[in-house]
Every structure is written in structure tokens, then in C-alpha cells.
Amino acid sequence: MPKFLRIGVHQSNVSGYTSKAWCVRRVGPAVFLKWGAVEVQGAGDGRKVYWTLPPRVKTIRCGTAQRAKDYAKAAIARRRNHRYEPLTGPIAIRRRSAGRGAELERTLATILFVDIVRSTEQAARLGDARWTQVMSHYYAVVRRELKTLRGKEVVTTGDGLLATFEAPAAGVRCATAIREAVRTLGLEIRVGLHAGEYKVSGAEVVGLAFHIGARVAAKARAGEVLVSSAVKDLMSQSGIRFQDRGLHQLKGVPERWRLYRVER
């Protein structure tokens, strides 16, 4: 199974949340994909790579073996064009000790999800070389705004990024700043924010709050910053205006959630 690793860089940190791995495997007319955030420890021959959360998996059924070969070949080429390095060693799942649950600490934060609208279409139009340059500038812009507003990058997701903020107002201001900045690159983004509690232990982050934040972002239109009612309720004195976007059923999330669009 070919494996690929990209180590994200956030200031001087070259390990942890910003790193990501992909695995591509073909069996007959099917292609099996596995990907997710990884923690990288050490360097050189002593480097170890761990999934920070259970990886996502997907099966692509191509109909014929030749189509599956072509799909796998293209998937591998995309990883290389997006600055992934071949990974020869295993990606381990960190074993939990009997007392591991007691080490988990609860943290409350505002969670921001951002991704590029119609990224696949733009990548096809620009070509791999130009798109790689655009993505490099895109992440530089996003990380600059995160640093300015004291956001903490958690993980990159292909053309998106997840970050956390201690203050909801900082998260909203960061979202709008990123939106305006990336427009100079000819890009439109969608952003979702949610405030909630999650558990953290070392490099592991777990919690429904992350899933809700992702679903809020999925409801956003091009250029739109959406927040959950949990975020709006914490910002009554912020001076930031919101427009009610109604109740929404978020995929895989219990109950319906009221969402609001940031007006400035």
C-alpha cells in the first residue's frame, strides 16, 4: 500500500496537528483510500508516525481493473504534487493504557473550519504546478491571520483547515480576515464556527464539537461565515452583527441547530 506523508509547518513546529498522511491501495477494480491527521515524532530512521484520530476510509469501485489502475495512479500523482513525501514505514495507532481515560482533559474552545469553494474545478483549470503555488500562498495567508488573532492550528484537510480559539470573537474576526485576504488570490472560502467542549490528551483531540463545526461549515455558501447558536450566544456584547439563517439539520448530529451569518 503506497503511503504518503506531508509535514505541516507552523512557525518552528514541524510535527503534530498540521501533519497529514494518505494511503492508496488497489485491489482488482477497487481502490481503497485511508487518510487523516498524524503526529510525527523524531526524524530520520528513528521517526515514528501515529494517527492522531482514527483515519477516514473510502472505497472507490471503478468497474474495471484498468480504471482502478488509472484512478490509483492519478491519486498518487496528486499526493506528490501537493508536496507529500513517500512514507516507507508504518502508521501506528497509539495504544491506550488502562489509565489513559483519566489523562483526558476537557477543553472549551471556539472551533473554526475553513475550506476553499470549488477547489477541484480551480485545480483542474490552473493545472497542478500553478495550483500548488496558489495553495502555498493560501496556507501562508491563513496562518498569518491565525497568528495575528492567536488561533491554534489543529489540522489541515487537503484544501481546508481546522483551528481553535479561546475567544469566539477572535475566531469570527479571523474568519472574516481570511475571507478578505484569500480573495486577492482569486479564491472564495466557506467558514463555519462552533463553540463547544472537547477532550485532549497529548496529540489526540476528540469531541462532538469538531463534527458540529464541520457540519456548520458545510452549510455555508461561497464567501459566507456561519456560526452556530453556541457562538452567537457568547457574543452578545461583541458588536458583531449576525443574520438568522434558520434551523438546520446537521448531517449525523442530533437535533436541529440554528445558524447565523456574520454580517461584516
Side-chain angles (χ1 to χ4, degrees):
M1 175 185 290
K3 297 186 291 291
F4 302 92
L5 171 70
R6 184 176 64 194
I7 298 179
V9 178
H10 183 48
Q11 297 179 23
S12 61
N13 177 30
V14 293
S15 68
Y17 297 120
T18 60
S19 301
K20 186 176 181 183
W22 276 84
C23 304
V24 181
R25 180 167 65 99
R26 183 187 68 84
V27 178
V31 178
F32 300 93
L33 305 176
K34 181 187 295 185
W35 72 98
V38 293
E39 178 186 358
V40 182
Q41 294 185 349
D45 294 338
R47 183 172 70 179
K48 295 183 179 180
V49 182
Y50 299 92
W51 295 111
T52 61
L53 293 172
R56 298 177 64 183
V57 295
K58 186 175 184 180
T59 301
I60 308 296
R61 303 193 183 280
C62 301
T64 67
Q66 185 58 51
R67 289 178 181 174
K69 288 180 181 178
D70 294 340
Y71 186 98
K73 183 178 179 180
I76 291 170
R78 281 196 296 273
R79 302 291 83 74
R80 289 172 174 162
N81 286 335
H82 293 169
R83 299 183 180 180
Y84 283 83
E85 62 175 279
L87 179 63
T88 56
I91 304 174
I93 297 176
R94 194 182 298 278
R95 293 184 178 180
R96 297 179 181 271
S97 63
R100 185 62 179 272
E103 298 176 15
L104 293 173
E105 296 182 2
R106 293 182 179 274
T107 300
L108 180 65
T110 297
I111 298 163
L112 175 148
F113 275 85
V114 55
D115 73 341
I116 299 173
V117 177
R118 293 185 294 275
S119 60
T120 302
E121 296 175 19
Q122 296 203 56
R125 178 173 57 84
L126 294 176
D128 290 334
R130 176 56 183 154
W131 182 245
T132 298
Q133 293 178 342
V134 170
M135 290 298 292
S136 178
H137 292 310
Y138 163 72
Y139 279 115
V141 165
V142 172
R143 287 167 177 147
R144 183 189 67 209
E145 300 301 339
L146 284 178
K147 182 178 179 180
T148 298
L149 286 151
R150 299 182 180 181
K152 180 179 179 181
E153 181 176 341
V154 176
V155 67
T156 56
T157 57
D159 59 2
L161 183 139
L162 183 159
T164 60
F165 296 82
E166 291 186 7
V172 171
R173 292 189 176 101
C174 186
T176 57
I178 291 171
R179 178 184 61 189
E180 301 308 315
V182 301
R183 281 174 173 166
T184 65
L185 301 174
L187 301 175
E188 282 287 0
I189 59 171
R190 60 172 63 87
V191 187
L193 295 105
H194 175 63
E197 190 177 65
Y198 63 93
K199 296 178 181 179
V200 59
S201 177
E204 296 183 359
V205 288
V206 181
L208 181 61
F210 286 103
H211 297 283
I212 295 174
R215 299 311 185 196
V216 173
K219 293 290 184 179
R221 304 183 183 113
E224 196 171 47
V225 177
L226 286 186
V227 306
S228 69
S229 56
V231 174
K232 181 180 179 295
D233 291 346
L234 293 171
M235 298 182 59
S236 58
Q237 305 299 319
S238 68
I240 296 174
R241 298 194 306 274
F242 299 92
Q243 181 179 357
D244 191 340
R245 284 266 269 107
L247 289 170
H248 295 261
Q249 183 66 57
L250 306 180
K251 184 178 179 181
V253 178
E255 303 178 355
R256 302 179 74 193
W257 288 75
R258 187 169 296 277
L259 303 182
Y260 298 85
R261 181 174 63 200
V262 177
E263 285 293 275
R264 72 171 189 84

